[in-house]
């Protein structure tokens, strides 16, 4: 299976990245191909809501930036993993720009190979996930009709928990 992980953390060695690496190790050991896109290290502008994709663009976004690489990976992805620290009850702004730009790739129909979605979230407090979960359920599970493969959270000291990392590795290993 081709898996695309969108890492919304601006910290290269932070909690979110360590959690992604645990998942990636497990998924790779099960024979899956995992691409991790560190969106905070890319030049990706916000959506212009210009409708170019649906009018003159013949399926292409008018903006030519690093989002083109994500569009290419998205065409082959069978599973999408959204990974982010929580900022003000939601995903990071950099990742939000990427997800807003999905409009051109996922409307009126999702990428044909994309079937599954999961979320990896990291926060300082257990009561911070509502905004991110609302978007995940509404945009990816309901609107795109993707199969929910799970939401994996860690807050505070749990971010350094070997148990949490082990569960992410096992999740990656269990994918079929």
């Amino acid at each position: 299976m081709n898996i695309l992980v969108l890492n919304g953390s601006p910290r290269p060695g932070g909690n979110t990245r360590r959690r992604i690496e645990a998942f990636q190790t497990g998924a790779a050991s099960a024979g899956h191909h995992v691409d991790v896109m560190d969106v905070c290290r890319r030049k990706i502008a916000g959506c212009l809501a210009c409708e170019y994709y649906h009018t003159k663009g013949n399926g292409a976004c008018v903006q030519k930036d690093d989002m083109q690489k994500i569009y290419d990976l998205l065409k082959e992805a069978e599973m999408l993993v959204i990974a982010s620290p929580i900022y003000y009850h939601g995903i990071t702004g950099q990742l939000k720009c990427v997800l807003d730009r999905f409009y051109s790739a996922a409307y009126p129909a999702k990428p044909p190979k994309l079937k599954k979605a999961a979320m990896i979230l990291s926060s300082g407090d257990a009561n911070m996930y509502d905004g991110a979960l609302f978007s995940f359920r509404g945009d990816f599970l309901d609107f795109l009709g993707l199969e929910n493969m799970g939401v994996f959270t860690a807050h505070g000291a749990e971010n350094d928990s070997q148990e949490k990392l082990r569960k992410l590795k096992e999740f990656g290993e269990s994918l079929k």
Side-chain angles (χ1 to χ4, degrees):
M1 175 167 36
N2 285 323
I3 302 169
L4 174 57
V5 179
L6 297 176
N7 177 11
S9 176
R11 294 176 57 214
N15 296 323
T16 300
R17 184 62 168 163
R18 285 193 305 276
R19 301 183 78 228
I20 290 169
E21 288 169 356
F23 165 76
Q24 185 177 18
T25 298
S29 74
H32 303 294
H33 176 81
V34 182
D35 286 299
V36 178
M37 184 62 68
D38 293 318
V39 302
C40 297
R41 304 273 174 260
R42 302 289 180 164
K43 300 270 189 229
I44 299 173
C47 180
L48 300 173
C50 66
E51 295 292 328
Y52 180 83
Y53 175 86
H54 303 288
T55 56
K56 301 176 212 155
N58 294 319
C61 180
V62 71
Q63 298 187 78
K64 303 303 178 212
D65 57 12
D66 289 343
M67 189 66 191
Q68 303 311 308
K69 176 67 174 165
I70 294 173
Y71 288 142
D72 289 342
L73 292 171
L74 197 53
K75 288 176 189 171
E76 298 303 318
E78 297 161 86
M79 181 174 171
L80 176 67
V81 178
I82 301 160
S84 183
I86 297 296
Y87 291 180
Y88 296 98
H89 299 271
I91 59 173
T92 61
Q94 297 94 324
L95 184 55
K96 178 70 168 103
C97 280
V98 169
L99 298 183
D100 285 349
R101 297 273 299 276
F102 269 41
Y103 180 62
S104 65
Y107 179 84
K110 70 179 182 201
K113 295 180 182 180
L114 191 58
K115 306 288 184 220
K116 302 173 182 187
M119 191 168 238
I120 298 172
L121 301 173
S122 188
S123 74
D125 185 283
N127 299 311
M128 293 286 162
Y129 303 112
D130 291 348
L133 295 175
F134 179 82
S135 175
F136 181 67
R137 282 187 214 106
D139 299 335
F140 296 96
L141 305 183
D142 296 341
F143 182 71
L144 294 179
L146 302 178
E147 179 183 353
N148 184 355
M149 300 304 292
V151 175
F152 300 86
T153 62
H155 66 278
E158 288 182 350
N159 283 300
D160 290 324
S161 162
Q162 290 303 308
E163 175 69 15
K164 292 280 187 173
L165 295 174
R166 184 184 58 76
K167 286 185 179 187
L168 279 165
K169 182 178 180 218
E170 288 174 354
F171 168 58
E173 292 169 340
S174 74
L175 293 172
K176 296 187 182 339

